[in-house]
C-alpha cells in the first residue's frame, strides 16, 4: 500500500502514456477504412511545423485557428487529427466533438499518418 501512496503519480503518468500509445495504434489500424469513408486528415501543428514536414494528404489547421475553420470541415466525414505528440490533437478532438463532430479520431503524432 505504501508503494501505491508513494508512486501513484508515476503510475498514473505511465498509464496515461500507455493509453495514448494504445489509442494511436488503434487509429492507425482503422486508417485505411477511414480513408475509404472519405476521412479528413487534419494536422493541427503550427504552419512552421507543418512546413518542415508533413504526411501526404493531410490538411494543416493549427489548433489555435481550428475554431475559425470549423465550417470548412464536413461533419459527415470522419476526421483524423494528429500533431507532434498527440497532445494538441487530443485538444482538437475535444473541440471538434464539442462542436457536433461525431466521428473524430486522434492518431497521435503526425508521422502515424504514414504508417
Amino acid at each position: 500500500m505504501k508503494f501505491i501512496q508513494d508512486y501513484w503519480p508515476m503510475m498514473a503518468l505511465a498509464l496515461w502514456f500507455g493509453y495514448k500509445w494504445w489509442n494511436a495504434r488503434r487509429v492507425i489500424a482503422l486508417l485505411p477504412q477511414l480513408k475509404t469513408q472519405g476521412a479528413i486528415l487534419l494536422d493541427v501543428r503550427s504552419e512552421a511545423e507543418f512546413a518542415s514536414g508533413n504526411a501526404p494528404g493531410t490538411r494543416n489547421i493549427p489548433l489555435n485557428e481550428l475554431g475559425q475553420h470549423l465550417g470548412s470541415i464536413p461533419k459527415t466525414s470522419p476526421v483524423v487529427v494528429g500533431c507532434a505528440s498527440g497532445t494538441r490533437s487530443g485538444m482538437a478532438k475535444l473541440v471538434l466533438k464539442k462542436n457536433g463532430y461525431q466521428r473524430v479520431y486522434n492518431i497521435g503524432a503526425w508521422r502515424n499518418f504514414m504508417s
Side-chain angles (χ1 to χ4, degrees), residues 2-55:
K2 178 147 174 49
F3 178 82
I4 293 172
Q5 289 175 338
D6 292 344
Y7 294 100
W8 73 265
M10 288 177 26
M11 291 169 44
L13 189 60
L15 286 171
W16 171 246
F17 282 112
Y19 169 76
K20 283 178 61 171
W21 176 86
W22 172 81
N23 188 61
R25 299 286 109 18
R26 183 182 65 85
V27 177
I28 290 168
L30 287 172
L31 193 57
Q33 176 187 351
L34 294 170
K35 284 181 177 179
T36 63
Q37 296 171 5
I40 308 299
L41 308 179
L42 191 59
D43 187 326
V44 295
R45 295 177 297 150
S46 71
E47 289 179 16
E49 288 174 295
F50 187 78
S52 71
N54 59 74

Side-chain angles (χ1 to χ4, degrees), residues 83-94:
C83 63
S85 69
T87 302
R88 284 177 283 182
S89 53
M91 289 186 264
K93 179 180 176 180
L94 291 174

Side-chain angles (χ1 to χ4, degrees), residues 54-74:
N54 59 74
T58 57
R59 178 177 169 194
N60 180 230
I61 301 177
L63 177 61
N64 62 334
E65 298 175 14
L66 183 59
Q68 302 163 12
H69 294 276
L70 292 175
S72 68
I73 304 168

